[in-house]
Amino acid sequence: MSTSSPTPAIEVRGLRKSFGTLDVLKGIDCQVAHGEVVCVIGPSGSGKSTLLRCVNRLEDPTGGQVFVGGVEVTDPDVDIDAVRRRIGMVFQQFNLFPHLTVTENLTLPQRRVMGVDRARAQAVARSNLERVGLSDKAEVYPSQLSGGQQQRVAIARALVMQPDVMLFDEPTSALDPELVGDVLAVIRELVCDGMTMMVVTHEMSFARELADRVIFMDDGVIVEQGDPEHVIGAPRHERTRSFLARLLRPVKATVSR
């Protein structure tokens, strides 16, 4: 649940991003309050992932401004490494180092980026592995884990940096359906802890249950936004209704004879 603060956790003003002649973001304006959970939904190619990548400057915007905790991320003179330490990012793919154990994947960023000593880094790693329910996997390698377990390690790796905000880019899209629930349960716990989040997702039940606000994007613009019951349950715009109808349409089973 969001808390009142004069400075938003994330503020996006007139954000534009083009790849050559392709305009992916066409002037995005949005805010995320401290403690707020915002789910971003929309069809493939609508600009959702690009929006997240611009927030932490994995992509350089073509125009507009992005602020995180009042600091302009898009300022050419900003210390982008210092800003990124405040932003946790979890991707569709897990991006774990395959040659490192789970613990080493969690201690490396602490030691390299934050200068934490080995003992402290290992203690923080253990604490966050316990947080995501993987204390017993500390010394195994990523290849020995299921996809859902790897994604939970990726979440723990983001958490060891003690971020102010978390960005999730379709964190369950690469998982088999039976593994989705464990990852969503971890994110649900973070929501209960008051973590500020932007979550790009196609899990409508998750968005409806936990989001304070839902943003629907299509063709590089925000078509509508509001509380989940209105955007998902009773959308005002035809584009939103059409998207949800396609997404929620039951798949008919085919029987070969």
Side-chain angles (χ1 to χ4, degrees), residues 4-69:
S4 59
S5 172
T7 303
I10 300 170
E11 183 175 9
V12 177
R13 301 178 186 170
L15 185 64
R16 293 181 287 109
K17 176 62 181 177
S18 300
F19 296 98
T21 59
L22 179 63
D23 296 328
V24 178
L25 299 177
K26 303 174 182 178
I28 299 295
D29 295 291
C30 64
Q31 294 185 359
V32 180
H34 292 274
E36 188 177 26
V37 178
V38 174
C39 285
V40 186
I41 65 173
S44 296
S46 59
K48 308 183 301 297
S49 295
T50 302
L51 171 60
L52 288 197
R53 293 175 67 85
C54 284
V55 167
N56 71 351
R57 279 280 301 281
L58 287 175
E59 297 285 355
D60 288 324
T62 306
Q65 296 172 292
V66 176
F67 298 83
V68 176

Side-chain angles (χ1 to χ4, degrees), residues 181-253:
D182 288 340
V183 173
L184 293 182
V186 170
I187 299 175
R188 189 176 284 109
E189 286 295 322
L190 296 181
V191 174
C192 294
D193 290 343
M195 177 66 75
T196 305
M197 297 187 205
M198 285 187 77
V199 185
V200 170
T201 185
H202 59 273
E203 299 284 347
M204 291 303 107
S205 59
F206 173 82
R208 197 163 192 167
E209 174 192 357
L210 293 176
D212 296 299
R213 191 155 42 90
V214 174
I215 292 174
F216 172 68
M217 290 182 63
D218 192 15
D219 195 28
V221 301
I222 293 177
V223 177
E224 68 176 296
Q225 60 180 306
D227 66 76
E229 287 306 311
H230 285 92
V231 176
I232 298 175
R236 299 187 305 273
H237 292 266
E238 175 55 36
R239 286 156 80 180
T240 317
R241 290 194 292 269
S242 176
F243 166 75
L244 290 169
R246 291 195 305 272
L247 192 67
L248 302 175
R249 182 182 300 134
V251 178
K252 294 181 179 179

Side-chain angles (χ1 to χ4, degrees), residues 67-82:
F67 298 83
V68 176
V71 176
E72 186 182 350
V73 178
T74 43
D75 185 333
D77 297 323
V78 75
D79 183 345
I80 191 60
D81 291 329

Side-chain angles (χ1 to χ4, degrees), residues 10 40 47-59 68 83-96 105 109 150-171 187 190 195-200:
I10 300 170
V40 186
K48 308 183 301 297
S49 295
T50 302
L51 171 60
L52 288 197
R53 293 175 67 85
C54 284
V55 167
N56 71 351
R57 279 280 301 281
L58 287 175
E59 297 285 355
V68 176
V83 172
R84 283 185 182 142
R85 284 198 289 271
R86 302 171 62 184
I87 307 170
M89 181 90 182
V90 178
F91 302 88
Q92 297 177 39
Q93 303 297 331
F94 323 121
N95 294 344
L96 301 175
N105 266 281
Q150 290 186 61
Q151 190 62 293
R152 286 151 63 194
V153 171
I155 294 172
R157 180 182 57 185
L159 291 173
V160 299
M161 304 300 287
Q162 300 177 1
D164 296 327
V165 301
M166 288 282 286
L167 309 178
F168 292 89
D169 186 7
E170 300 211 31
I187 299 175
L190 296 181
M195 177 66 75
T196 305
M197 297 187 205
M198 285 187 77
V199 185
V200 170

